[in-house]
Amino acid sequence: MKNNRLTHRRKNGQQIIAAWGLLFWLAAGVSCAAFAVASPAADTLQALLTPALPASLDDPASQDDLASGPLTLAELAGFYAARDYRPLWSSASAERAWEAALADLVEDGLDPAWYLGQVPAAATSDSSCRELARTAAWLQAQLDLRFGALDRETIEPLWRLRPATTAEQRRTLLGSANGFVANPAAALAAARPDLPVYRVLREALRELLAESPAEPWPEVPRGALLRPGQSDPRIPLLRARLQAGDYLPDAANTAVSLNYDPLLEQALKSFQRRHALAVDGLLGPATLAALNETREQRSARLRANLERWRWLGQEQLPHQIVVAIAAAEIRYYRDGELRWSARSTVGRSLRQTPSLRSAVSHFTLNPHWTVPPTILRQDKLPAIRANPEYLAEQNLQVLDAQGQELDPATVDWRRPGAIILRQQPGPGNALGQVAIRFPNPFSVYLHDTPSKELFARAQRTDSSGCVRVEDVLTLVEQLLRSNNQFDPTAFAGRLASGATSDLPLLAPVPLLMDYWTADLDSSGTLVLRPDSYARDEALAAAISARPRPLLALPANCPTL
């Protein structure tokens, strides 16, 4: 890949810095017992921090408050108390290692100035306050890498069946930082999500940052749909754009032909595959829009997804169902391994599938479908007014608010009042043979569908919020088997009966439905997906606009 030598030099530099940091501590030659005798610097740090210690991290009343948010003064005091108030940054080499570690946060999509700019000048503060500011910035960076720099509830909220429990993870992270004082970069590396997708995203951003901003990516003009074999004056620009993305070798530029040849077709198909587009080799509007993404827009997408995967690092469970909303895919994990995956359809941009954390509790076999109010108002009523036979064709019952069946002929369809439409079970039922239920306030669920052709589309954002699942009966079987509940004969009999019934899971299975637009394919290659819900730009902007964290420092230490 491009910039390998640059990356190699940077890694060598980091290793040299880490080695210098280690030599600094080894050269000190002071035993742990000797450190117990407080030096003047340690005495000063202890005097500054001891007043914060009554807000103990062991106080149960404070644990919920510590589950998220910025570093607290109590946490800073606890960190130093655990090391007998010994300073961390008492040499020029240690300060350089601190600075180099935080400077690399740019490759995480974070602004190093948030952290490096927190140390007050020597003219306005003493060495103890500068020491504490460096440590607070370093610890804050670790929290941001592990849990996310932004509070996701303010920008991309995740509804939870139960509150998140990250307080213990936070205490463990901060407690482990004392093991990295000789190598501050290693502490940041340990705090990053241990996920292949995060590492690949970080590498992609690193390579992008190494490119010259003075050389913009080639832009392909709009025009008619371009098919393989055709000639077009845009071909040289298309070839240049694919070369810039390493989809086409530079040698291909020797051809000045305006013909859309097979080599160029294969390069465009590779581009389409890595951008989750229809792999058809056609240069149409969706492919053209992806090709003409600027370097700045790509950087924003990478930074947005790095933040999402910092959030998602806390959501990885060995046994769970995951609905990847932007990918319109569903995955089932058991014992930490992917056991099953399939295509799905999710909500359109105006009726989005919500992000949530819940647990599958039961299945409804041969379900009725009660038409949600939005679909009733926006879709069904116009169809009924236009076609008097629509209700019969769709096998829909009309019920009053108490659930009593009404004669459709008695309803004023211009002002129907508080009616309910319910579709009977059967081959044409919108939910198919089974619905997968889980608690949530959005009235959404996973379900089968008679419209199997929907899964063949490249873009599958056409539902009203619920998630249609391809091959859903295989997922139901997997979930029942995980609970030792699957009886093939009994299950097939209940389905064949046509009767509506609920089948509870003895142990609910965790479910995550969430939105991210960068993922890895089965080969570990980065895939950037269409931003169907138009969230990437807003999230990237929120990261850029994030105020510099206000460090928790003693009152007599100046803050910037």
Side-chain angles (χ1 to χ4, degrees):
M1 296 180 70
K2 291 182 178 179
N3 305 311
N4 282 343
R5 284 178 293 180
L6 175 64
T7 302
H8 181 68
R9 288 198 299 269
R10 180 179 285 116
K11 287 181 178 177
N12 283 346
Q14 291 171 340
Q15 290 167 355
I16 292 169
I17 290 170
W20 274 111
L22 180 60
L23 287 172
F24 163 74
W25 288 108
L26 292 176
V30 184
S31 69
C32 291
F35 272 129
V37 180
S39 66
D43 287 342
T44 304
L45 293 176
Q46 184 171 8
L48 286 169
L49 293 173
T50 297
L53 283 176
S56 171
L57 298 182
D58 295 326
D59 179 5
S62 68
Q63 290 181 5
D64 290 340
D65 293 335
L66 295 177
S68 62
L71 181 78
T72 67
L73 183 57
E75 288 173 318
L76 182 64
F79 173 83
Y80 271 98
R83 56 181 288 102
D84 295 328
Y85 299 95
R86 302 190 307 271
L88 280 71
W89 323 109
S90 54
S91 74
S93 61
E95 291 180 2
R96 287 194 298 269
W98 170 84
E99 183 174 352
L102 294 179
D104 269 353
L105 290 172
V106 68
E107 296 170 0
D108 295 276
L110 301 175
D111 185 355
W114 290 338
Y115 314 95
L116 294 171
Q118 297 276 27
V119 180
T124 60
S125 66
D126 60 24
S127 60
S128 296
C129 288
R130 293 195 299 278
E131 158 79 19
L132 294 178
R134 283 193 176 90
T135 302
W138 180 58
L139 295 176
Q140 183 65 57
Q142 293 175 57
L143 292 174
D144 290 349
L145 288 171
R146 176 62 57 86
F147 302 106
L150 300 179
D151 177 6
R152 75 166 298 178
E153 298 309 309
T154 65
I155 186 165
E156 290 188 8
L158 177 76
W159 180 86
R160 295 180 182 277
L161 179 62
R162 298 178 183 86
T165 54
T166 57
E168 184 59 36
Q169 296 177 49
R170 180 182 175 110
R171 287 193 292 272
T172 300
L173 176 70
L174 295 176
S176 67
N178 259 314
F180 294 102
V181 294
N183 189 349
L188 302 187
R192 292 184 177 101
D194 186 19
L195 300 170
V197 64
Y198 191 88
R199 291 189 285 273
V200 173
L201 276 168
R202 195 168 183 267
E203 176 68 22
L205 182 57
R206 178 189 298 121
E207 293 184 355
L208 193 68
L209 292 170
E211 293 183 11
S212 171
E215 300 176 7
W217 291 341
E219 181 177 353
V220 183
R222 289 182 293 179
L225 180 69
L226 181 59
R227 301 175 182 276
Q230 292 180 330
S231 293
D232 192 287
R234 297 175 294 167
I235 289 297
L237 284 170
L238 174 60
R239 185 179 292 113
R241 176 63 186 91
L242 292 172
Q243 287 171 339
D246 290 337
Y247 296 97
L248 195 64
D250 289 343
N253 201 33
T254 59
V256 294
S257 170
L258 301 183
N259 184 55
Y260 184 9
D261 59 46
L263 183 62
L264 191 57
E265 178 188 354
Q266 290 307 311
L268 186 61
K269 285 182 175 179
S270 295
F271 177 90
Q272 290 172 326
R273 191 174 295 110
R274 288 185 58 181
H275 289 77
L277 301 167
V279 184
D280 53 18
L282 302 178
L283 181 59
T287 299
L288 188 65
L291 283 167
N292 286 336
E293 183 179 51
T294 66
R295 185 180 285 108
E296 292 73 22
Q297 290 169 329
R298 173 66 56 83
S299 174
R301 294 194 68 191
L302 295 176
R303 289 186 289 112
N305 281 285
L306 281 163
E307 178 70 358
R308 289 190 182 113
W309 283 106
R310 288 190 283 268
W311 297 335
L312 288 163
Q314 311 309 309
E315 305 297 339
Q316 308 304 304
L317 299 176
H319 188 202
Q320 68 173 342
I321 305 160
V322 175
V323 175
I325 297 172
E329 293 177 356
I330 184 167
R331 303 157 190 170
Y332 174 56
Y333 296 87
R334 189 174 177 189
D335 299 326
E337 296 181 357
L338 179 64
R339 298 297 183 92
W340 175 88
S341 64
R343 295 174 292 188
S344 66
T345 71
V346 297
R348 66 199 73 166
S349 61
L350 295 178
R351 301 179 188 176
Q352 297 181 6
T353 295
S355 294
L356 58 83
R357 162 66 80 187
S358 188
V360 170
S361 56
H362 66 284
F363 313 107
T364 303
L365 307 184
N366 302 307
H368 293 86
W369 179 45
T370 300
V371 178
T374 299
I375 299 178
L376 171 64
R377 182 175 62 255
Q378 297 183 7
D379 301 340
K380 298 302 180 184
L381 287 180
I384 293 168
R385 291 165 186 153
N387 177 13
E389 301 303 317
Y390 182 83
L391 291 168
E393 292 170 357
Q394 298 294 315
N395 199 18
L396 287 166
Q397 291 178 303
V398 184
L399 310 176
D400 64 17
Q402 287 71 45
Q404 300 299 312
E405 187 169 3
L406 300 174
D407 180 351
T410 65
V411 177
D412 179 359
W413 290 106
R414 294 170 301 176
R415 303 178 189 83
I419 63 162
I420 298 169
L421 294 185
R422 187 175 70 177
Q423 190 177 42
Q424 296 289 84
N429 184 279
L431 306 189
Q433 291 184 287
V434 62
I436 301 177
R437 311 286 189 178
F438 46 90
N440 70 90
F442 310 102
S443 301
V444 296
Y445 39 83
L446 314 180
H447 65 90
D448 188 16
T449 178
S451 304
K452 311 296 186 187
E453 70 281 359
L454 296 174
F455 300 116
R457 300 175 180 175
Q459 303 306 313
R460 298 184 296 276
T461 51
D462 54 11
S463 84
S464 291
C466 290
V467 179
R468 301 184 188 98
V469 178
E470 184 181 31
D471 191 23
V472 68
L473 292 180
T474 299
L475 176 59
V476 172
E477 177 182 339
Q478 292 261 7
L479 297 178
L480 289 170
R481 286 189 184 278
S482 74
N483 277 272
N484 296 315
Q485 286 181 256
F486 188 65
D487 181 331
T489 302
F491 185 76
R494 291 178 70 165
L495 278 180
S497 73
T500 301
S501 63
D502 283 338
L503 177 56
L505 272 175
L506 295 179
V509 176
L511 168 70
L512 174 69
M513 294 166 50
D514 211 350
Y515 187 88
W516 58 88
T517 59
D519 205 344
L520 302 184
D521 64 14
S522 58
S523 69
T525 301
L526 181 65
V527 176
L528 297 175
R529 303 184 180 280
D531 184 16
S532 305
Y533 292 173
R535 296 181 181 177
D536 286 352
E537 184 178 351
L539 179 53
I543 296 169
S544 297
R546 175 199 185 199
R548 187 170 59 190
L550 183 62
L551 298 184
L553 296 176
N556 53 337
C557 284
T559 56
L560 299 181

